[in-house]
Amino acid sequence: MDIADKKSTLWHQKSLEEQASRLETQSSLSQTSDMIARVLVIYTGGTIGMINKDGAYVPEAKCLVTKLRSLSIFHDEDFVLGHLSPENQKIFLALPAPMDDGSKLVKEKRRIVYKVIEFEPLLDSSNMTGNDWIKIAECIQKHYDKYDGFVVLHGTDTMAYTASALSFMCEHLGKPIILTGSQIPIFEVRSDGRDNFLSSLIIAGTYPIPEVLLCFNEKVYRGNRCVKSDNSSFSAFSSPNMPPLVRLEIDIFVDWPAVFYTGETEKFRIHTNMCQNVGILRLFPGITAQTVRAFMQPPMQGIILQTYGAGNAPTNRADLLDVLEEACKWGVLIVNITQCSRGNVNAAYATGVALQKAGVILGGDMTTEAALAKLSYVLGKGDWSMEKRKKMLGQNLRGEMTTVAQETLSFMDHDLIESVAQTLHLSTHEEVNKLKDALFPNLMCAAAKNSDIPALEKLIEAGSHLSAPNQDGRTALHVACHSGDLRLVQFLLNNGASVHVRDYRGDSPLIDAIHAKNLDIIYLLVQTGAVIPWSKSAIALHLCSAAALNDLNTIKAWHAAGADLNSFDYDYRTALHVAVTSNRKDVAEFLMKNGAHCNLQDVFGLTALTIAQKLGYTELLSILNPDGHLCVEPIENLLSCNHTSSL
């Protein structure tokens, strides 16, 4: 069969109309994908998705997505039909076009496209267990690299427990995870669910807050700071010891200096070994030592002790203190938190000191939910010694407890900003903050361009957010990666800069590092969790171009970043096809050593091996086929995995 016949055969395996439609859809998507934010919605159950049957709210499987598609505020059918492939049209929903929400962080408004994964069976949150937390965490891990953020629809009764647990289970988190629900189902005429869900989708898709959050009634809280405080109000949740991170008013206000960053250069992972042998013991006047002793018997490994006031217990009860001290010596970890709705535990009173001397660990201002989740997490770390577990319980791991930091004065804050404010005749605090929002991102990028770490440190002290983009959507990390300054990149990552922020072209800092061909920075970004934000076909175009130009360093950079060297372009040509056609021996040898296949057919039915044979490139033949065995793999075997949209 000649080349023309092979081409005809391949193209007619599907109708010409289907091929044209698929390519047109891909092209349309690629032109707009930079402006698309992808959110995964995990629907576990709860009131928000229930329907009314015979006067009672009940969950119904496979109902939520169908109803969401019928509501214009949750789904823009025209956009989906015009920009997504037929397969993705069945899977994804899209919010209407975004309006200016007042954000000074997100300069380019991205269209929110989201997918809903539904639990089977749907759960009332009162039935939630540790296994369900693991199921949620594993779902997030499975889809982590494909989405910009995650929304968990959850019943309100145990939402604070789940939010606290996920905050510890999700280690090195770099993207927002938002739990939300409602007091009235979303499909009722009057419901708080619509605003809660819409706000969660918008925050998850456009604001790079690397925390587990809880969104309810126009506020977004740190998840492990929340408690359910009202079962009959739309203000069902409160955060007793910490203000909201986000206020959803006419404008959206994010308290960026309060956002918690781990400052670690490691990939996202989940920890699922949560210890179940933990419990909550609340002191009350007259509690007996026998009751406390019975509660602390094996297999109990950890206890949250809810004490009076600022962490006090009766000092005139030697029997009670003896039991607590005895349990600590057994190896039971006891964490002291207050019964009060607000405030923290300290050793200001003799009664609190007595508990500390007995071996009880101060829990600061943690909520009961956060303390229980943290204790379960720490005890689940099988490779940690007892001393390290005690130390970790007293440290702030996920922003769950307040730490007192020494206040510092900043030249950038008090001199530069105030001088500019006076020059512009700005008087109100809100106007000065708007000036900061406009100036700080550009100052950060300028400092990064000059590798000026002291200036960056001053900007951080002044409250500047490291991941705040300038008018082009670029952050200090973009600039540092482009310049190839490894020390500066390490500094930014250690101070919480996000590897996931995309500029106006849709490029992440990893793309800048690839263009700079700096392998050390690429390895560091990948180690921190960065992934290439482009489709395989877009990557293939760059690989093929580099192969044609004999630019081996660029190909090495793409490979280090995790690019699939077998990605192919619109003619199903891989970089190896191009390298062989152009007789680029070094490029071909590198590609072959790193997993490239020489037996993939392009649209003309040619493989890299047959091209080398036809052109008589004997050196390339020895590289491609050292054993002389000829094997041809039809291109259709890889169609499904290569030609997928960026969704």
Side-chain angles (χ1 to χ4, degrees):
M1 183 182 294
D2 59 22
I3 293 176
D5 290 338
K6 281 182 173 286
K7 179 179 179 181
S8 177
T9 300
L10 284 171
W11 276 82
H12 283 85
Q13 289 174 351
K14 290 187 177 182
S15 68
L16 291 176
E17 291 80 5
E18 288 178 334
Q19 290 282 352
S21 174
R22 178 171 59 81
L23 293 175
E24 181 181 356
T25 302
Q26 288 176 338
S27 175
S28 177
L29 178 63
S30 65
Q31 292 170 3
T32 60
S33 60
D34 295 345
M35 297 303 296
I36 289 178
R38 295 152 291 189
V39 176
L40 180 66
V41 178
I42 302 171
Y43 175 36
T44 68
T47 301
I48 190 167
M50 290 184 177
I51 62 173
N52 192 326
K53 280 189 176 181
D54 301 324
Y57 293 137
V58 296
E60 184 165 316
K62 312 299 181 183
C63 176
L64 179 65
V65 173
T66 301
K67 286 188 173 290
L68 288 174
R69 288 187 184 278
S70 67
L71 297 175
S72 60
I73 60 171
F74 287 109
H75 185 52
D76 185 342
E77 184 73 14
D78 292 338
F79 176 84
V80 168
L81 292 176
H83 296 84
L84 274 63
S85 66
E87 294 80 8
N88 284 328
Q89 291 170 16
K90 302 174 185 177
I91 299 173
F92 289 92
L93 296 90
L95 293 187
M99 297 178 64
D100 186 1
D101 59 7
S103 164
K104 303 303 181 293
L105 175 67
V106 184
K107 303 297 182 183
E108 298 290 339
K109 307 301 177 186
R110 292 189 169 95
R111 175 82 70 143
I112 305 296
V113 175
Y114 64 102
K115 173 184 175 181
V116 179
I117 293 178
E118 184 174 302
F119 266 27
E120 278 187 43
L122 294 172
L123 296 173
D124 185 296
S125 69
S126 298
N127 295 325
M128 275 279 170
T129 67
N131 289 333
D132 298 308
W133 296 341
I134 293 173
K135 187 176 177 181
I136 296 170
E138 288 178 341
C139 185
I140 292 171
Q141 182 182 49
K142 179 180 178 181
H143 298 91
Y144 186 78
D145 290 339
K146 302 175 186 176
Y147 293 89
D148 299 297
F150 303 85
V151 173
V152 180
L153 298 180
H154 195 289
T156 59
D157 286 348
T158 61
M159 189 185 295
Y161 284 97
T162 300
S164 294
L166 289 176
S167 74
F168 293 103
M169 295 169 72
C170 295
E171 300 179 336
H172 316 301
L173 183 62
K175 300 178 181 182
I177 300 172
I178 305 180
L179 283 83
T180 194
S182 68
Q183 298 286 63
I184 300 176
I186 200 170
F187 307 117
E188 289 290 340
V189 173
R190 178 174 171 269
S191 171
D192 58 329
R194 293 190 186 94
D195 283 344
N196 290 344
F197 188 25
L198 284 171
S199 297
S200 298
L201 288 170
I202 291 168
I203 299 298
T206 54
Y207 292 83
I209 304 173
E211 292 198 37
V212 176
L213 308 167
L214 191 153
C215 177
F216 227 87
N217 196 38
E218 300 177 346
K219 295 180 179 65
V220 180
Y221 305 100
R222 177 170 296 154
N224 56 33
R225 289 293 193 136
C226 286
V227 296
K228 185 175 182 181
S229 54
D230 196 331
N231 66 4
S232 60
S233 166
F234 286 158
S235 298
F237 289 89
S238 61
S239 179
N241 294 308
M242 180 182 175
L245 282 175
V246 184
R247 289 181 290 116
L248 302 161
E249 301 176 3
I250 293 177
D251 290 342
I252 295 178
F253 298 98
V254 181
D255 186 2
W256 289 108
V259 174
F260 183 80
Y261 301 98
T262 61
E264 297 173 344
T265 54
E266 293 189 46
K267 282 185 179 181
F268 170 77
R269 63 171 181 252
I270 61 172
H271 174 83
T272 57
N273 186 30
M274 301 286 280
C275 178
Q276 302 298 311
N277 299 321
V278 295
I280 302 169
L281 178 64
R282 184 181 178 95
L283 292 185
F284 58 87
I287 187 172
T288 66
Q290 290 84 354
T291 298
V292 176
R293 184 184 299 275
F295 191 80
M296 296 185 177
Q297 293 301 310
M300 190 64 73
Q301 294 177 257
I303 292 172
I304 303 302
L305 185 67
Q306 293 184 318
T307 56
Y308 310 130
N312 303 318
T315 54
N316 61 350
R317 292 283 308 279
D319 59 336
L320 196 61
L321 292 174
D322 287 345
V323 171
L324 294 174
E325 184 175 4
E326 185 180 344
C328 291
K329 290 179 179 178
W330 295 342
V332 178
L333 295 179
I334 305 176
V335 180
N336 182 4
I337 66 170
T338 178
Q339 296 179 11
C340 300
S341 57
R342 295 185 62 185
N344 69 320
V345 164
N346 56 58
Y349 295 89
T351 48
V353 172
L355 286 176
Q356 197 172 11
K357 286 182 177 179
V360 176
I361 302 163
L362 297 180
D365 60 352
M366 284 190 289
T367 65
T368 303
E369 294 87 340
L372 189 69
K374 184 176 183 179
L375 184 57
S376 179
Y377 170 78
V378 168
L379 285 169
K381 288 288 188 178
D383 56 338
W384 286 4
S385 66
M386 183 59 69
E387 288 306 312
K388 182 171 183 179
R389 288 174 176 172
K390 292 178 180 179
K391 180 181 178 181
M392 292 297 104
L393 283 170
Q395 289 188 1
N396 184 26
L397 302 182
R398 302 287 192 276
E400 73 282 357
M401 59 197 303
T402 301
T403 55
V404 180
Q406 183 178 1
E407 293 188 3
T408 57
L409 296 178
S410 169
F411 165 78
M412 297 300 301
D413 197 16
H414 293 274
D415 291 353
L416 175 62
I417 298 298
E418 294 301 326
S419 297
V420 175
Q422 291 175 12
T423 303
L424 297 177
H425 305 292
L426 302 180
S427 57
T428 68
H429 181 68
E430 182 179 351
E431 288 175 328
V432 173
N433 281 337
K434 288 182 178 180
L435 177 62
K436 288 182 179 181
D437 290 337
L439 283 181
F440 275 177
N442 287 288
L443 292 173
M444 297 285 284
C445 289
K449 184 176 181 179
N450 294 321
S451 297
D452 191 345
I453 290 180
L456 288 168
E457 289 174 334
K458 288 183 178 180
L459 285 163
I460 294 171
E461 290 174 6
S464 182
H465 172 46
L466 274 176
S467 296
N470 64 11
Q471 64 275 5
D472 290 327
R474 294 179 63 74
T475 67
L477 187 58
H478 282 89
V479 176
C481 290
H482 182 77
S483 65
D485 189 332
L486 178 62
R487 177 170 165 266
L488 178 58
V489 170
Q490 183 77 62
F491 169 82
L492 292 169
L493 291 175
N494 287 342
N495 283 276
S498 173
V499 298
H500 304 293
V501 177
R502 290 179 285 165
D503 64 16
Y504 74 99
R505 296 170 299 187
D507 293 349
S508 67
L510 182 58
I511 298 298
D512 279 279
I514 293 170
H515 291 330
K517 306 175 188 177
N518 191 309
L519 297 184
D520 290 335
I521 291 178
I522 291 171
Y523 291 138
L524 180 59
L525 293 174
V526 171
Q527 174 189 322
T528 309
V531 294
I532 302 171
W534 293 359
S535 65
K536 285 189 176 182
S537 55
I539 296 170
L541 292 175
H542 285 264
L543 289 173
C544 289
S545 175
L549 296 172
N550 203 28
D551 187 353
L552 182 56
N553 287 333
T554 290
I555 292 176
K556 287 181 177 179
W558 281 104
H559 176 61
D564 182 359
L565 297 182
N566 291 305
S567 301
F568 49 86
D569 63 13
Y570 46 84
D571 280 333
Y572 306 147
R573 288 169 63 80
T574 67
L576 188 59
H577 281 94
V578 177
V580 171
T581 302
S582 304
N583 198 19
R584 308 300 192 188
K585 291 185 284 291
D586 291 342
V587 172
E589 186 172 14
F590 176 82
L591 292 170
M592 286 296 296
K593 286 182 178 179
N594 289 279
H597 301 317
C598 65
N599 52 6
L600 299 178
Q601 290 181 327
D602 64 13
V603 74
F604 305 101
L606 298 174
T607 69
L609 189 57
T610 56
I611 292 172
Q613 290 172 331
K614 289 178 180 293
L615 296 177
Y617 293 151
T618 54
E619 290 185 64
L620 280 173
L621 281 172
S622 64
I623 293 172
L624 301 175
N625 193 29
D627 59 0
H629 178 67
L630 180 61
C631 177
V632 177
E633 183 173 347
I635 194 64
E636 54 265 28
N637 289 354
L638 290 182
L639 284 178
S640 59
C641 65
N642 192 83
H643 281 280
T644 56
S645 71
S646 61
L647 289 171

